[in-house]
Amino acid sequence: MTDTQGEAVTATDPARERLRRWRLVLGGDPADGTGHALSGQDAAMDGALAALYGKGDTPQAGRDRSAGLGASAPSVARWLGDIRTYFPSSVVQVMQRDAIDRLDLATLLLEPEMLEAVEADVHLVGTLLSLNKAMPETTKETARVVVRKVVEDLEERLATRTRATLTGALDRSARVSRPRHHDIDWNRTIAANLKHYLPEHRTVVPERLIGYGRASRSVKKEVVLCVDQSGSMAASVVYAAVFGAVLASMRSIDTRLVVFDTTVADLTDQLDDPVDVLFGTRLGGGTDINRALAYCQSRITRPAETVVVLISDLYEGGIRDEMLKRVAAMQASGVRFVTLLALSDEGASAYDREHAAALAALGAPAFACTPDLFPEVMAAAIEKRPLPIPDAGRGADSGR
């Protein structure tokens, strides 16, 4: 085989390969101890890494990983092309995020040519949405293309399983004890009546019938997604918009999407296009959970058939006691209330533990949820059974 420099690397020379890898990791500081020189593509990879990670707060004499990207859009565009050449997509996305944080490249994303060069992911969408108000008109159309690509990829990944899982939950929640003949669920009816088996007749006497209601026509659930649009919740907002659109496409579920900071915006009428939803948000600002829940509560017409999902890190800027009283009142009326500290793959990096514990004391679970788990959480909420809380008790407060 050959290495990335085109030089032969044999299985009998593992020491040289280890030195090469350590040199790429350590960055060529004279004190790194490898004594290994790079050439060819390895040198180019090292340059791309140095441009991002080479500059420390206190540069050391002789340190050569200090190329930087400056504030030049052309140099950044070349760098973005380089990292897509040398690294897999998952690594590229991490490096882009680090570049935005470490080198203050957010403003450069306002240029169309920069957006065309980046690797699109959920975190990039969050950054673009936070820049939406400052974005020039010439850039907005390119930004929408980037956002739409991410949204469509997420829908393709999540929609089918979500619909299938929730359809099953709706059917099960609609079971009735006095079904018509064609609505009888025979498998569950037989299982529930096995104790009434008559061996002499080789039959089961079904004293209790279990059936399905006509979920597609008559059984409707109401789902309210109440989403915190503060800056720290960017990834959760993206996923909530996608799931909101998926739920809204199901005729058996009435879906409402409400986003909030210190004000409340109802984006339900835009749910047919999650990209419109996302560009209708304004990431950043304060948080008034109590005001948002008051609005959601005012829109509930069938509490016993309603699930309210609050997606927030719970850093409340409003009236804490009123927020908790509102949650308790909704639950007392029959609403199933769920709090997700984050709806993302990363989990909840920070949240208000006191508020999470207070909600748990009310019997309202508070936990971080991945997008892949969300359909199961919603199915359990619809069926009014215990929620599939991941790693309960570790990093979040939970209640059943």
Side-chain angles (χ1 to χ4, degrees):
M1 61 177 287
T2 60
D3 68 5
T4 55
Q5 304 175 54
E7 300 172 0
V9 177
T10 67
T12 59
D13 193 14
R16 177 171 173 270
E17 177 62 10
R18 280 198 300 272
L19 283 175
R20 168 183 168 271
R21 290 173 178 269
W22 276 113
R23 167 59 183 83
L24 285 167
V25 170
L26 296 173
D29 190 295
D32 73 12
T34 65
H36 187 83
L38 299 177
S39 61
Q41 185 166 302
D42 277 355
M45 290 173 62
D46 188 61
L49 292 166
L52 176 56
Y53 301 111
K55 282 192 173 182
D57 295 331
T58 55
Q60 301 175 15
R63 185 175 177 83
D64 61 1
R65 286 181 71 125
S66 57
L69 295 174
S72 164
S75 67
V76 174
R78 284 194 297 272
W79 178 79
L80 287 168
D82 286 345
I83 64 174
R84 292 174 75 172
T85 299
Y86 304 138
F87 303 101
S89 177
S90 58
V91 175
V92 169
Q93 292 171 7
V94 172
M95 293 180 73
Q96 285 179 171
R97 273 177 259 160
D98 287 348
I100 291 169
D101 293 339
R102 293 167 62 96
L103 303 178
D104 193 25
L105 298 185
T107 54
L108 290 178
L109 293 176
L110 300 179
E111 302 181 18
E113 60 271 23
M114 289 293 298
L115 286 179
E116 293 170 357
V118 294
E119 184 83 17
D121 69 344
V122 169
H123 298 280
L124 177 65
V125 170
T127 299
L128 292 178
L129 296 178
S130 69
L131 297 171
N132 185 27
K133 300 303 180 184
M135 195 175 291
E137 291 300 322
T138 54
T139 306
K140 283 189 175 180
E141 191 54 41
T142 305
R144 288 184 72 90
V145 171
V146 172
V147 172
R148 187 168 297 282
K149 179 182 183 303
V150 174
V151 166
E152 288 177 350
D153 288 346
L154 291 177
E155 283 188 303
E156 183 178 356
R157 166 189 156 193
L158 300 169
T160 300
R161 180 167 169 265
T162 299
R163 292 192 187 100
T165 301
L166 296 190
T167 297
L170 288 164
D171 285 347
R172 288 188 293 272
S173 70
R175 285 195 175 101
V176 294
S177 59
R178 298 179 65 183
R180 299 177 182 178
H181 179 77
H182 57 275
D183 287 332
I184 296 174
D185 180 348
W186 287 109
N187 288 334
R188 286 177 59 88
T189 294
I190 292 171
N193 290 277
L194 287 176
K195 62 183 178 181
H196 304 304
Y197 177 69
L198 300 178
E200 63 274 20
H201 297 289
R202 302 180 65 185
T203 190
V204 170
V205 177
E207 291 190 358
R208 182 167 68 93
L209 299 177
I210 300 174
Y212 294 103
R214 300 179 182 181
S216 62
R217 296 192 295 272
S218 61
V219 177
K220 295 181 72 71
K221 296 291 182 179
E222 296 181 11
V223 173
V224 181
L225 300 178
C226 185
V227 187
D228 183 343
Q229 61 177 350
S230 58
S232 60
M233 300 296 293
S236 298
V237 171
V238 176
Y239 281 115
V242 172
F243 279 118
V246 173
L247 295 179
S249 71
M250 301 178 65
R251 287 185 293 178
S252 297
I253 298 178
D254 284 334
T255 305
R256 184 176 295 275
L257 177 64
V258 175
V259 299
F260 68 92
D261 42 34
T262 54
T263 59
V264 179
D266 192 330
L267 302 180
T268 303
D269 61 351
Q270 300 177 37
L271 276 175
D272 59 330
D273 188 346
V275 176
D276 286 342
V277 169
L278 291 172
F279 277 93
T281 64
R282 54 177 194 180
L283 293 177
T287 308
D288 192 337
I289 302 172
N290 179 55
R291 175 177 291 186
L293 292 181
Y295 176 84
C296 295
Q297 187 177 24
S298 72
R299 296 301 186 270
I300 295 173
T301 58
R302 303 165 62 230
E305 304 298 335
T306 298
V307 177
V308 173
V309 182
L310 172 64
I311 304 174
S312 173
D313 55 17
L314 301 180
Y315 287 111
E316 170 66 315
I319 306 172
R320 173 186 184 272
D321 290 343
E322 288 299 314
M323 175 191 77
L324 295 174
K325 287 180 182 177
R326 208 170 293 282
V327 172
M330 281 191 276
Q331 289 185 305
S333 70
V335 171
R336 185 70 188 270
F337 194 91
V338 179
T339 301
L340 302 183
L341 302 169
L343 178 56
S344 67
D345 290 307
E346 288 75 25
S349 57
Y351 62 94
D352 190 307
R353 294 179 180 274
E354 182 179 348
H355 288 163
L359 287 169
L362 293 175
F367 59 97
C369 177
T370 66
D372 288 333
L373 181 63
F374 185 75
E376 299 295 337
V377 169
M378 289 303 304
I382 286 171
E383 295 181 63
K384 298 186 177 181
R385 55 182 170 83
L387 301 178
I389 300 174
D391 298 325
R394 189 184 74 180
D397 294 273
S398 60
R400 300 284 181 171

